[in-house]
Amino acid sequence: MARYQIIADALRSRILSGEYEADEPLPSQRDLASHFGTAMMTVRQALDLLCQEGLLVVEHGLGTFVASVGAGHEIVSLGGFTEEMNAHHIGLSTAVLGLDASVEEPKAAEMLGLRARAGLSVLTRLRSVGGLPVVHQRSFMAGRFHNVMRQYDASRSLYVMLREGGGFTPTSYREHVTACAAPTSVARALQVTPGCPTLLSHRITFAATGVPFVYDQAYMAPERIELVVEKKGVAFTAEYLPIAASILSAHSLAEVAPVSANN
Amino acid sequence: MARYQIIADALRSRILSGEYEADEPLPSQRDLASHFGTAMMTVRQALDLLCQEGLLVVEHGLGTFVASVGAGHEIVSLGGFTEEMNAHHIGLSTAVLGLDASVEEPKAAEMLGLRARAGLSVLTRLRSVGGLPVVHQRSFMAGRFHNVMRQYDASRSLYVMLREGGGFTPTSYREHVTACAAPTSVARALQVTPGCPTLLSHRITFAATGVPFVYDQAYMAPERIELVVEKKGVAFTAEYLPIAASILSAHSLAEVAPVSANN
DNA sequence: TAGTGGTCTAGACCACCAA
DNA sequence: TGGTGGTCTAGACCACTAC
């Protein structure tokens, strides 16, 4: 693997784990170069990568910073909702609504590559931003993860737990997003009127080996959170943003620097 | 201006003028470097820029090529809905519901970087797949495009028209997706019940110069079309797929190639 | 002025692909 | 094998920001 990718991986994990605070600059390129024992150009390649992923913002003459939505720049997500919010320092709180064992849910089981009647472990959570519930999420996993799940602590990331407890690192996912009327129980949790239109997401997450290991079903409250898809040339990003935050970043549209005019 | 930007500008204008054919390789990086009298690294910076704009595709060991849509590469969904569906060989038909001039829509005007009371040209279309309406779309453009718009022909792509008639090539966009109850008129067009939950997309599309030039508002019928977001490592894709088609592609999940493990 | 990122060089060697 | 792109070095100098 290329050196710059190794450097990028190292920095990415530090950023996602919150090791680097927002508005706190990373070490300078020179320091990073000497720390990793490479030339500055190599460090810059790593930083470029993380910028494209939206994790960093570099400011000429000032330093390199962890991207925060308010700071007015791009974004990205690496799977976990928690990481997504952490990376942008959005105050996300999670409440566990329930943890069930041996649930039969043929569709989820099929997505996970299990037989239809396999018992699943299901974690139901409510995500809130600024005290307002935004996402009602049910995560389905194979029954053998249930013991790991019982140690789930709302302050941690489910993905981190599964990485440590199950040895699975999410590397890819596929998500289908539709609109759907909120079921009564979900509506109550989200504090919206039953039947109200919500975003419904089905996400299947794969480990590095290509094995599916989590299936998520999430209802999102309208006017509180939305999906923002961005494409610049070939670079895609897609992530959920609380509306207040995405309005902020929408305003920064006007500030988008004119890309090199043709003179 | 930086050397790599000068090189990029020179190459970009040659590409856009058709001086370089599609599928015809550019001179090698070494040749370009000696031609422009710079180091290879500098040429590569220029090429990187053009790749991000989606104008070039580089292939390791083969050469650098002008990106051509449909040449069997990634460049799918470069904005247009028509291209997106074509790329998947989905039978998309488009009906024009209306073309209005001098519409005042402050929000759309703001997104386009115009003053709030600017008169806009608005094209309303209904997209159908297999005879079933799936998308109700309103496209807002600056009033000066109205004459171009009057020649709009449902069999062509709006983006192609704007490229030829207005000289604008879409290179990036930003899209916000939420859930929303279908307004009566939209519901009638989509043949769904009024108030039914729909996906609502707001998309602002930018030209290579960074200038916004189209603002789209689209309502999508639930259970007929959905947004599929996929991530493999750092590679993102996001596209709308009719449900039948996305079920097909969901089956191909099992074939997802194992993404490069951590060494 | 001192520290930061931005650009650039003139090579070197590696990895990939086709003939 | 020969040509292509991919990565990397060990500096140099420029541009921007803050104090």
Side-chain angles (χ1 to χ4, degrees):
Chain A
M1 181 175 284
R3 280 175 192 249
Y4 78 93
Q5 286 175 313
I6 295 171
I7 297 174
D9 287 349
L11 293 177
R12 189 188 296 109
S13 65
R14 287 186 211 174
I15 292 166
L16 293 179
S17 72
E19 195 166 324
Y20 289 130
E21 296 284 327
D23 303 327
E24 196 74 14
L26 261 64
S28 76
Q29 296 181 356
R30 285 169 183 79
D31 289 350
L32 288 172
S34 73
H35 176 264
F36 286 106
T38 69
M40 272 184 58
M41 285 287 295
T42 308
V43 167
R44 300 197 81 253
Q45 278 181 285
L47 296 181
D48 278 352
L49 203 58
L50 297 176
C51 279
Q52 280 177 21
E53 291 175 18
L55 290 174
L56 291 180
V57 175
V58 293
E59 299 192 38
H60 194 166
L62 283 178
T64 307
F65 304 85
V66 175
S68 68
V69 171
H73 265 299
E74 312 310 311
I75 342 288
V76 107
S77 72
L78 205 124
F81 211 83
T82 312
E83 280 90 347
E84 212 163 275
M85 295 298 156
N86 275 348
H88 298 294
H89 303 91
I90 291 169
L92 170 74
S93 61
T94 300
V96 174
L97 300 185
L99 173 62
D100 303 301
S102 305
V103 173
E104 278 192 24
E105 185 84 25
K107 187 187 170 188
E110 187 196 349
M111 296 300 277
L112 289 170
L114 305 171
R115 53 180 213 287
R117 313 237 356 222
L120 303 177
S121 178
V122 183
L123 176 67
T124 307
R125 289 174 292 177
L126 185 67
R127 271 52 211 277
S128 301
V129 172
L132 209 57
V134 292
V135 179
H136 178 280
Q137 182 177 18
R138 296 222 299 163
S139 302
F140 299 80
M141 285 144 294
R144 66 177 181 283
F145 288 120
H146 197 68
N147 280 331
V148 179
M149 295 317 305
R150 289 175 58 185
Q151 294 155 38
Y152 176 73
D153 166 356
S155 70
R156 293 167 68 200
S157 157
L158 177 59
Y159 285 95
V160 171
M161 275 197 59
L162 288 171
R163 183 156 53 227
E164 294 169 356
F168 288 95
T169 303
T171 58
S172 60
Y173 65 77
R174 182 181 208 122
E175 179 166 355
H176 293 241
V177 181
T178 59
C180 171
T184 314
S185 64
V186 171
R188 194 176 301 131
L190 285 176
Q191 298 174 24
V192 298
T193 60
C196 147
T198 57
L199 276 187
L200 172 57
S201 153
H202 301 270
R203 177 189 282 196
I204 179 81
T205 304
F206 302 86
T209 54
V211 177
F213 71 105
V214 182
Y215 177 65
D216 283 292
Q217 227 173 53
Y219 290 90
M220 278 156 274
E223 295 172 28
R224 292 184 204 159
I225 192 164
E226 64 186 353
L227 178 60
V228 178
V229 177
E230 205 170 326
K231 184 178 186 186
K232 292 192 173 181
V234 293
F236 254 109
T237 63
E239 67 175 350
Y240 293 97
L241 285 178
I243 296 281
S246 74
I247 285 174
L248 283 179
S249 67
H251 274 297
S252 76
L253 274 178
E255 301 160 19
V256 165
V259 177
S260 69
N262 301 348
N263 297 357
Chain B
M1 180 175 288
R3 281 177 190 246
Y4 78 93
Q5 286 175 314
I6 295 171
I7 297 175
D9 287 350
L11 294 178
R12 189 189 295 109
S13 65
R14 287 186 211 174
I15 293 166
L16 293 179
S17 73
E19 196 166 323
Y20 289 130
E21 296 283 329
D23 303 329
E24 198 73 15
L26 263 63
S28 75
Q29 296 181 355
R30 285 168 184 78
D31 291 349
L32 288 172
S34 72
H35 176 263
F36 286 106
T38 69
M40 273 183 58
M41 285 287 294
T42 308
V43 167
R44 299 196 82 251
Q45 277 181 285
L47 296 182
D48 278 353
L49 204 58
L50 297 176
C51 279
Q52 281 177 21
E53 291 176 15
L55 289 174
L56 291 180
V57 175
V58 294
E59 299 194 36
H60 195 165
L62 283 177
T64 305
F65 303 85
V66 175
S68 69
V69 181
H73 274 295
E74 277 305 305
I75 312 304
V76 185
S77 73
L78 212 127
F81 214 83
T82 311
E83 282 89 346
E84 214 164 273
M85 294 299 154
N86 279 346
H88 295 288
H89 304 93
I90 290 165
L92 171 74
S93 62
T94 299
V96 174
L97 300 185
L99 173 62
D100 303 301
S102 306
V103 173
E104 279 191 24
E105 185 83 26
K107 187 187 170 188
E110 186 195 350
M111 297 300 277
L112 289 171
L114 305 171
R115 52 180 213 289
R117 313 234 359 220
L120 302 177
S121 178
V122 183
L123 177 66
T124 307
R125 289 173 292 177
L126 185 67
R127 273 50 214 276
S128 301
V129 173
L132 209 57
V134 291
V135 179
H136 178 279
Q137 181 177 17
R138 297 223 298 164
S139 303
F140 299 80
M141 287 143 292
R144 66 177 181 282
F145 288 120
H146 196 68
N147 280 330
V148 179
M149 295 317 304
R150 290 175 58 185
Q151 295 155 39
Y152 176 74
D153 166 356
S155 70
R156 294 167 64 199
S157 157
L158 177 59
Y159 285 96
V160 171
M161 277 196 58
L162 289 171
R163 181 157 54 228
E164 293 170 356
F168 288 95
T169 303
T171 58
S172 60
Y173 65 76
R174 182 182 205 122
E175 179 166 356
H176 293 241
V177 181
T178 59
C180 171
T184 315
S185 65
V186 171
R188 194 175 302 128
L190 285 176
Q191 299 173 24
V192 298
T193 60
C196 147
T198 57
L199 276 187
L200 172 57
S201 153
H202 301 270
R203 176 189 283 194
I204 179 80
T205 304
F206 302 86
T209 54
V211 177
F213 71 104
V214 182
Y215 177 66
D216 283 291
Q217 229 174 51
Y219 290 90
M220 277 156 274
E223 295 172 27
R224 292 184 204 160
I225 191 164
E226 63 187 353
L227 178 59
V228 178
V229 177
E230 207 170 327
K231 184 177 184 188
K232 295 186 180 182
V234 293
F236 254 107
T237 62
E239 62 186 343
Y240 292 97
L241 287 178
I243 296 281
S246 73
I247 286 175
L248 283 180
S249 67
H251 276 296
S252 74
L253 275 178
E255 301 159 20
V256 165
V259 177
S260 68
N262 304 349
N263 56 326

